[in-house]
Amino acid sequence: MPRITLPDGTVKSYDAPVTAAQVAADIGAGLAKAALGAKVDGILADLAATLDRDCALAIVTMKRRDGGIDPEALTLLRHSAAHVMAEAIQRLFPQVRLVYGPPLETGFYYDMAFPDGKVPSTDDFARIEAEMARIVADDRRFTRYELELAAGMDKLRGEGSKYKLDNAERAAEAGSTTLSWYATGTPGKDWEDLCRGPHVPSTGRIGAFKVMSLASSYWKGDETSDRLTRVYGTAFATKAELDAHMVQLEEARKRDHRVLGKQLRLFHIDEMVGQGLILWTPKGSIVRNELQNFIGAELRKQGYQQVYTPHIGKLDLYRTSGHFPYYRESQYPPIVEHDEMAKLAAEGCTCADLSNRMAKGEVDGYMLKPMNCPHHIRIFASAPHSYRDLPVRLAEFGTVYRWEQSGEIGGMTRVRGFTQDDAHLFVREDQVGQEVLGCLSLVKIIFATLGMNDYRVRVGLRDPDSAKYVGDPANWDKAEQACRDAARSLGVPFSEEAGEAAFYGPKIDFVVKDVIGRSWQLGTVQVDYNLPIRFDLSYAGADNQPHRPVMIHRAPFGSMERFIGCLIEHFAGAFPLWLSPEQVRVLPISEKSAAYADELCAALRARGIRAEADHSNERVQAKIKVAAEEKIPYMAVVGPRDAEARAVSVRARGIEANLGEMPFDAFIDGIAREAEQRLLSGAPGSVQASFAAKGA
């Protein structure tokens, strides 16, 4: 009979099969009341799940021991809320056909087909929410039942939903011998849906919810297939948490990098150029160059060497690396030389034949590079290396190209062409640990400089049940252990996630929380024993014999486009002085002060400060308002009395703070120092802080 091992190592033995809910009750009445679900051997399950064998069990509650919200509890809650919303919509729109409704990190959605053309609008949200409230108030249990595959398929055929039938057929293809349904209440009497689960115990456990938006989607993501309506919603345990989420969304809308990027003229996306392809404007280019100069200086300190590689490479290069054809769905189509294409056309080669022959290596061509690493590998292989030469650290701001579906592209955070602050280290095996730590220290420097201090680390490991990973399992074990050891050294929370490794090696990802609580996956470090084998790399060891190097892939910013998109939102467009495209706006009160304004502007520029003078005919308050809207860090207001006293009247962020008067030279020195030290706005040592200290 089952022995149940709890997270603290306690073992509970039972004489007969038992449910997770019963185990929770045995542990304590408080836990049983708070329980929403369970994890059985690491797999999320219902509280009603039967435990009939030895297993590890953790009871899932909304709050973790550290007081934070458990994301897996939210997953259960939101999956259940998706069912409640679907039931409510079916009450109001009886002809609707349900497709599928998964939980998301911030809520849930349900894809639906409306055959009669009566599609919900935002005007229906209140009615849908009212129906949901009735279902939640009923507090009906989520009841799971299963049917043998044949009986389940007969049931679905009788219901006549091709969408649910297709879901079941895919489950069967994946090896399922049964199909499961969840009823909100009594099977055969109350509403039910084909679903794998799991769910919370009853509808009453869904504390607060909201229907958020509508969008178009397509069955199976195929634009040539049935057009569907996607209804988004979100759910939380309490109304206070939902209200906080809505406030966060409103703040996020204010910080939307797509809006701010256009308003501040940082980047442009042009339909004539193409979706997902960023045009960097002069102002945006300054932000990017400042970041590149910043990391470039740190790279030089760590002994990196700069390289440049072309934007395309031969297919054989990517066949060797393993990127082609296995990841061709996320790559641009290969480019075939003109003569070769003419020859194939004369032979009557069809597009399908061409694709197959390319995949088999019978036809060569070129490809827009999806990765920089194969190019860097060939640079390393171009010259002999001794063990004394290692580590070799090659760095490049290399632009790569990935094919993204049109519906998945968004601003700068999901694009088709992006530049990575990429580097590849070729090291001896005894150097792996130290070099990984060096890569991580670089990420920590970046985050500290930008004030991104709230982050966690995710160690991506291989999924033992997947065939996508290449290489010797023993090498994988060593690489994974190196990543674990490095992650422990950081002193911040880290998690291990199976299935998140690259196909050639495990990785360490940094997940940063911004000022309004959203998480972004930014920098990454990967340990790779496999590509050196695939490319037959070697170096001469101390024994004069060839030895295989280990590769480390690292990109602290990741994608420059994504990183800067995140930065725009993190700072709400108000970059710290050193990153701001324009750092000081000089505002003469009248024409009488124009010469003094130009003198100040020239003196600032001589110190490397990006300064402009506003000589428009507007009143000074109007000039301040314009500069504030453009999020200029400092305004220097000058008039005849300032010129006479060789002084400057300083404002921070326009209308944000009238700091007061400062001597001409002291202002220039302070601004230059703040920029050179890359200080955050208002940080100790900044011009703004110096005024505050003086006032104190």
Side-chain angles (χ1 to χ4, degrees):
M1 289 296 98
R3 285 167 50 84
I4 312 298
T5 303
L6 303 177
D8 64 358
T10 302
V11 176
K12 286 187 170 293
S13 298
Y14 292 87
D15 295 331
V18 65
T19 66
Q22 289 171 309
V23 177
D26 288 346
I27 296 171
L31 179 64
K33 184 178 180 181
L36 292 173
K39 288 185 74 174
V40 181
D41 289 334
I43 306 299
L44 202 58
D46 299 319
L47 278 175
T50 299
L51 312 176
D52 55 4
R53 55 179 174 77
D54 294 354
C55 64
L57 176 70
I59 302 300
V60 176
T61 61
M62 188 54 65
K63 292 292 180 70
R64 301 187 306 241
R65 289 188 177 183
D66 63 5
I69 295 176
D70 188 335
E72 291 182 314
L74 279 178
T75 295
L76 288 167
L77 191 78
R78 288 165 176 169
H79 191 183
S80 303
H83 277 227
V84 170
M85 185 181 74
E87 179 179 355
I89 291 174
Q90 280 202 314
R91 287 182 180 182
L92 298 171
F93 299 84
Q95 299 303 313
V96 69
R97 291 287 180 264
L98 302 179
V99 184
Y100 31 63
L104 304 170
E105 185 177 349
T106 57
F108 57 87
Y109 71 80
Y110 217 114
D111 277 350
M112 303 177 177
F114 292 84
D116 58 1
K118 295 180 180 178
V119 178
S121 71
T122 54
D123 294 337
D124 296 306
F125 286 4
R127 291 201 304 145
I128 295 170
E129 289 171 356
E131 287 296 330
M132 291 176 70
R134 294 185 186 98
I135 297 166
V136 169
D138 288 344
D139 196 20
R140 286 183 269 133
R141 294 194 64 79
F142 281 96
T143 307
R144 178 188 175 101
Y145 71 92
E146 293 186 358
L147 295 176
E148 294 295 325
L149 185 62
M153 297 297 270
D154 286 343
K155 173 180 167 63
L156 291 170
R157 291 188 190 99
E159 292 173 354
S161 172
K162 69 176 183 180
Y163 305 112
K164 292 296 181 181
L165 192 60
D166 181 75
N167 291 347
E169 288 170 348
R170 284 191 282 173
E173 290 170 3
S176 293
T177 57
T178 61
L179 297 174
S180 60
W181 276 258
Y182 277 82
T184 47
T186 304
K189 174 187 173 186
D190 293 307
W191 186 90
E192 60 184 44
D193 192 14
L194 176 74
C195 179
R196 290 182 300 177
H199 290 282
V200 297
S202 67
T203 61
R205 302 301 295 274
I206 302 168
F209 53 84
K210 188 171 182 61
V211 181
M212 300 294 293
S213 61
L214 299 168
S216 293
S217 62
Y218 297 92
W219 189 25
K220 300 182 182 180
D222 182 355
E223 295 180 12
T224 65
S225 189
D226 293 9
R227 191 181 184 90
L228 306 174
T229 297
R230 179 167 294 180
V231 188
Y232 284 97
T234 192
F236 289 86
T238 67
K239 186 176 185 302
E241 290 166 357
L242 174 61
D243 289 344
H245 176 70
M246 298 308 294
V247 169
Q248 184 190 86
L249 288 181
E250 181 57 32
E251 183 63 25
R253 276 190 282 272
K254 294 176 186 174
R255 293 168 175 266
D256 190 328
H257 75 278
R258 293 165 297 185
V259 176
L260 288 172
K262 185 175 182 179
Q263 175 188 324
L264 301 175
R265 301 189 300 280
L266 297 171
F267 66 92
H268 178 60
I269 299 172
D270 193 295
E271 284 299 318
M272 287 189 71
V273 175
Q275 284 189 330
L277 301 173
I278 303 299
L279 298 175
W280 292 87
T281 61
K283 289 187 175 182
S285 297
I286 289 171
V287 179
R288 175 170 164 166
N289 284 333
E290 286 292 340
L291 287 169
Q292 291 184 184
N293 292 339
F294 164 46
I295 195 173
E298 296 298 329
L299 293 180
R300 288 189 290 275
K301 292 176 189 176
Q302 291 195 16
Y304 282 79
Q305 301 173 80
Q306 184 74 42
V307 297
Y308 298 92
T309 61
H311 289 241
I312 65 172
K314 291 184 70 173
L315 284 181
D316 270 348
L317 179 69
Y318 295 103
R319 288 192 184 103
T320 302
S321 70
H323 292 101
F324 183 83
Y326 306 109
Y327 294 89
R328 60 181 164 187
E329 288 185 2
S330 61
Q331 298 164 359
Y332 276 86
I335 304 163
V336 180
E337 292 182 6
H338 294 298
D339 292 346
E340 181 72 7
M341 185 64 82
K343 177 184 173 186
L344 292 168
E347 294 173 0
C349 180
T350 66
C351 291
D353 291 337
L354 178 60
S355 179
N356 290 332
R357 291 171 69 175
M358 280 185 166
K360 293 175 183 177
E362 296 171 0
V363 175
D364 205 357
Y366 290 82
M367 188 165 64
L368 285 170
K369 66 175 177 180
M371 296 281 188
N372 296 304
C373 38
H375 293 255
H376 290 189
I377 287 170
R378 298 313 298 164
I379 290 176
F380 177 84
S382 67
H385 295 279
S386 160
Y387 70 97
R388 295 187 183 90
D389 301 328
L390 274 53
V392 171
R393 308 180 186 95
L394 304 180
E396 177 182 17
F397 287 98
T399 301
V400 298
Y401 303 89
R402 312 272 176 85
W403 176 256
E404 300 281 0
Q405 296 291 335
S406 296
E408 296 175 344
I409 295 171
M412 297 180 80
T413 56
R414 195 72 181 264
V415 294
R416 287 174 171 167
F418 56 93
T419 301
Q420 294 176 307
D421 61 321
D422 218 352
H424 297 91
L425 292 74
F426 301 85
V427 307
R428 303 192 308 265
E429 192 167 343
D430 63 293
Q431 297 171 324
V432 170
Q434 191 62 36
E435 290 300 314
V436 170
L437 289 176
C439 294
L440 298 184
S441 72
L442 191 60
V443 178
K444 290 177 72 174
I445 289 169
I446 290 169
F447 289 169
T449 302
L450 294 168
M452 294 176 149
N453 300 315
D454 188 358
Y455 62 90
R456 63 181 177 86
V457 172
R458 181 175 62 208
V459 179
L461 309 175
R462 69 196 186 279
D463 179 352
D465 297 324
S466 173
K468 84 169 188 178
Y469 303 100
V470 297
D472 184 347
N475 285 337
W476 271 92
D477 291 340
K478 289 186 285 188
E480 288 178 340
Q481 192 57 48
C483 288
R484 287 190 187 96
D485 292 343
R488 288 192 187 98
S489 74
L490 289 169
V492 297
F494 79 92
S495 60
E496 297 182 9
E497 297 188 22
E500 288 298 314
F503 76 91
Y504 49 76
K507 60 180 180 174
I508 301 172
D509 291 329
F510 288 80
V511 182
V512 181
K513 191 169 284 188
D514 67 15
V515 291
I516 60 171
R518 298 168 304 176
S519 294
W520 302 91
Q521 192 274 304
L522 297 176
T524 187
V525 178
Q526 302 169 4
V527 179
D528 178 6
Y529 280 78
N530 292 305
L531 285 183
I533 295 172
R534 296 178 76 96
F535 281 93
D536 194 24
L537 300 183
S538 67
Y539 66 90
D543 57 1
N544 288 323
Q545 297 301 310
H547 294 262
R548 190 81 66 197
V550 180
M551 272 184 77
I552 298 172
H553 309 241
R554 55 107 282 221
F557 291 142
S559 152
M560 296 298 293
E561 285 76 6
R562 179 181 175 82
F563 192 87
I564 292 175
C566 295
L567 275 190
I568 292 169
E569 299 195 1
H570 181 69
F571 290 117
F575 295 111
L577 181 72
W578 69 278
L579 275 179
S580 295
E582 184 179 340
Q583 296 168 313
V584 178
R585 178 77 56 84
V586 183
L587 308 177
I589 289 176
S590 67
E591 247 182 72
K592 295 177 183 178
S593 307
Y596 184 57
D598 287 339
E599 181 187 354
L600 176 58
C601 200
L604 286 164
R605 289 174 176 173
R607 294 290 294 274
I609 300 301
R610 296 181 288 275
E612 299 290 340
D614 183 349
H615 288 300
S616 67
N617 293 324
E618 300 290 339
R619 295 172 63 88
V620 73
Q621 288 303 320
K623 294 179 181 181
I624 290 171
K625 185 175 182 293
V626 169
E629 290 172 350
E630 295 181 11
K631 301 186 184 292
I632 311 298
Y634 288 104
M635 269 106 260
V637 182
V638 294
R641 283 187 299 178
D642 297 298
E644 186 177 340
R646 299 291 293 170
V648 178
S649 295
V650 184
R651 301 184 74 98
R653 302 286 175 194
I655 58 176
E656 180 181 300
N658 186 357
L659 300 180
E661 195 175 90
M662 200 172 193
F664 185 99
D665 291 333
F667 174 69
I668 293 170
D669 288 343
I671 291 290
R673 181 174 59 252
E674 183 175 337
E676 288 164 4
Q677 295 180 7
R678 298 190 174 95
L679 300 178
L680 294 170
S681 298
S686 68
V687 171
Q688 189 170 348
S690 69
F691 276 101
K694 190 188 303 180

